[in-house]
Amino acid sequence: MPYFDAASTAPLHPVARQALLAALDDGWADPARLYKEGRRARMLLDAAREAAAEAVGCRTDELVFTPSGTRSVHTGIAGALAGRRRTGRHLIVSSVEHSSVLHSAEVFEADGGEVTRVPVDRTGEVDVSSYATALRPDTALACLQSANHEVGTVQPVAAVAEVCRAAGVPLLVDAAQSLGWERVEGDWSLLTASAHKWGGPSGVGLLVVRKGVRFAVQGASDERESGRSPGFENLPAIVAAAASLRAVRAEAEQEAVRLRGLTARIRARVPELVPDVEVVGAPERRLPGIVTFSCLYVDGETLLHELDREGFAVSSGSSCTSSTLTPSHVLKAMGVLSEGNVRVSLPTGAAETDVERFLGVLPGVVAGVREKLGAPMPAATVQAADVVVDSLGKRCPIPVIELAKVIGSVPVGGTVRVLSDDEAARLDIPAWCEMRGQEYVGEEKAERGTAYLVRRVS
């Protein structure tokens, strides 16, 4: 079965498997002990730290291993904010950060801190000037991911780091998606990453804190990992993580060229094969293996199930695939279509034949889902050139389907009011207008739900 969800977790790299099995035999003892088995374990831990530090581009005493990338983010943000508490209680994050960063920001905000969320453009990229504008005398920390986990857009980390450095503000970079491909450039201050994103085992994260950065560990600590990650180290997993990072980086340049070719093919072919599709994310400044697109009039959850039936594992940012029925915060921040969203993230070694089969299967799958969701013509109240569509109680993508069915019944210049109580409509109706060349006028409060106004211009 072709696995196209490497951005969630990459398949275990063969080198990681080999290193893990070897370390189970040689790295089971306590590396803090001085007897023979402990010294052997310590040598393995030191070698793993040296390999990881080389890949990151930092000193070995700046890097610690944690139980996960999420734990690295939480520890890094909390420690940096606490270390600079005298400076102020202001945090800057981008609006498309990983949920672990945003959750840390919410905790900080609940504790009385202030958070500025920097917006992004329709490709998902931040503007460096927006970070410069957000900086204040009381800013304690800024955060920016190296590349987005949902749409693959690469962020201008080096330029943002320069702006932050000039203001005396440390920058924490979440490098989970990019570290397997290359070092993060720029004068950043803190960095986090997660081994399972590059083909290492789950349960290993990296936290790097540059020398000179004020950092105060929060919560209980011990002598392990410089006091920044308490508890007995999972040494076999750490050894496998470092070994696989070195291995994937050795083949990264050549594999990146190959995967970029495959994702470029998907980006170009999907709109040709499937009508009413929006390919999202930056067209050039992007990770090699990720391509994301959204299909109008499609239920994201049904689409994923049908692709799974055809043997393809992909993921989605559609609200229809979440228990909260709200669209992905990344797609929402970008202002792009969320319904029928598909993220294809190719793992190292992904076969060209599998990509071609995916492109062959996708049009029929989308057409089948659209046919299943085909709604009857909605009851419409015609008032001159004003049509009201009642989509209350209907979830994505039905409100947009019903809008599309009636837009042709009003004259050019006429309006359609779509009544909806689905949060996704606030994003998907404007995105539909952008794709179909109609004018999104805005929203109005209704007796129930919200009225979204669309003016026909073509």
Side-chain angles (χ1 to χ4, degrees):
M1 175 176 179
Y3 178 75
F4 288 175
D5 195 22
S8 293
T9 187
L12 192 66
H13 195 283
V15 169
R17 184 182 301 276
Q18 295 168 4
L20 181 64
L21 293 175
L24 287 172
D25 292 331
D26 295 334
W28 53 268
D30 186 347
R33 300 296 174 241
L34 298 179
Y35 40 73
K36 180 180 178 181
E37 292 82 1
R39 295 197 306 273
R40 182 185 298 132
R42 184 71 199 189
M43 289 176 61
L44 289 174
L45 180 59
D46 288 345
R49 196 184 316 278
E50 184 176 344
E54 181 182 3
V56 171
C58 67
R59 294 169 40 153
T60 56
D61 57 353
E62 294 174 331
L63 183 149
V64 300
F65 296 104
T66 72
S68 69
T70 294
R71 174 50 56 192
S72 296
V73 166
H74 292 170
T75 300
I77 292 178
L81 288 172
R84 286 175 48 81
R85 190 181 182 97
R86 290 185 179 179
T87 298
R89 300 269 286 159
H90 178 232
L91 170 67
I92 302 172
V93 300
S94 86
S95 57
V96 294
E97 294 297 313
H98 187 268
S99 58
S100 59
V101 174
L102 299 182
H103 290 161
S104 288
E106 290 169 2
V107 169
F108 178 64
E109 214 166 21
D111 192 40
E114 287 188 69
V115 179
T116 296
R117 294 167 177 84
V118 176
V120 296
D121 61 19
R122 282 186 66 86
T123 71
E125 184 175 344
V126 302
D127 189 320
V128 178
S129 64
S130 296
Y131 264 80
T133 301
L135 289 166
R136 305 186 331 204
D138 63 339
T139 302
L141 178 68
C143 301
L144 179 62
Q145 59 190 191
S146 55
N148 188 261
H149 49 293
E150 289 194 29
V151 299
T153 299
V154 173
Q155 300 291 359
V157 170
V160 171
E162 183 177 352
V163 168
C164 290
R165 178 68 66 177
V169 174
L171 176 69
L172 182 147
V173 178
D174 171 15
Q177 290 295 338
S178 71
L179 192 61
W181 294 108
E182 60 186 0
R183 288 183 179 179
V184 177
E185 299 298 326
D187 200 7
W188 46 266
S189 302
L190 301 97
L191 180 143
T192 64
S194 187
H196 74 96
K197 299 290 188 178
W198 65 68
S202 58
V204 179
L206 303 182
L207 171 61
V208 179
V209 181
R210 294 285 200 189
K211 291 296 181 183
V213 175
R214 291 185 177 277
F215 193 89
V217 177
Q218 300 302 285
S221 63
D222 58 24
E223 73 281 3
R224 307 278 177 174
E225 294 301 296
S226 303
R228 292 175 180 169
S229 183
F232 198 92
E233 298 95 342
N234 184 352
L235 187 52
I238 288 172
V239 170
S244 58
L245 179 56
R246 175 178 283 176
V248 298
R249 286 285 285 276
E251 59 197 27
E253 185 174 353
Q254 182 175 353
E255 184 63 5
V257 172
R258 196 181 71 86
L259 290 187
R260 286 188 190 280
L262 293 178
T263 53
R265 187 181 310 178
I266 296 172
R267 287 179 64 87
R269 293 273 302 280
V270 167
E272 296 173 355
L273 297 169
V274 182
D276 298 316
V277 164
E278 181 179 16
V279 180
V280 301
E284 300 296 336
R285 286 179 49 84
R286 56 185 305 100
L287 290 173
I290 297 180
V291 56
T292 306
F293 55 89
S294 299
C295 308
L296 275 175
Y297 322 132
V298 170
D299 175 338
E301 185 171 16
T302 303
L303 181 56
L304 262 60
H305 284 316
E306 292 302 317
L307 286 171
D308 182 48
R309 288 175 186 271
E310 295 290 340
F312 292 96
V314 298
S315 64
S316 173
S318 288
S319 60
C320 310
T321 61
S322 72
S323 59
T324 60
L325 292 178
T326 57
S328 146
H329 72 277
V330 172
L331 300 178
K332 189 173 182 179
M334 292 167 62
V336 297
L337 184 69
S338 73
E339 68 185 48
N341 179 261
V342 175
R343 180 187 67 183
V344 174
S345 49
L346 304 177
T348 298
E352 181 179 0
T353 54
D354 288 337
V355 170
E356 283 300 318
R357 191 167 79 82
F358 175 79
L359 291 171
V361 163
L362 182 67
V365 169
V366 173
V369 174
R370 284 174 173 167
E371 184 177 358
K372 289 179 183 178
L373 291 174
M377 289 297 289
T381 303
V382 180
Q383 300 174 345
D386 188 6
V387 173
V388 179
V389 174
D390 186 353
S391 291
L392 293 168
K394 299 174 183 178
R395 299 302 177 190
C396 70
I398 299 303
V400 179
I401 290 176
E402 296 186 341
L403 165 62
K405 285 188 173 185
V406 303
I407 190 71
S409 68
V410 300
V412 173
T415 61
V416 177
R417 281 176 166 80
V418 183
L419 300 178
S420 177
D421 51 5
D422 180 12
E423 177 65 24
R426 179 167 282 110
L427 177 62
D428 289 348
I429 289 176
W432 179 88
C433 293
E434 178 82 17
M435 293 176 67
R436 302 312 297 264
Q438 306 298 343
E439 180 185 356
Y440 178 65
V441 179
E443 61 180 71
E444 297 176 349
K445 286 190 177 296
E447 186 176 344
R448 288 180 56 207
T450 303
Y452 299 95
L453 277 63
V454 177
R455 179 176 291 116
R456 183 182 176 188
V457 296
S458 62

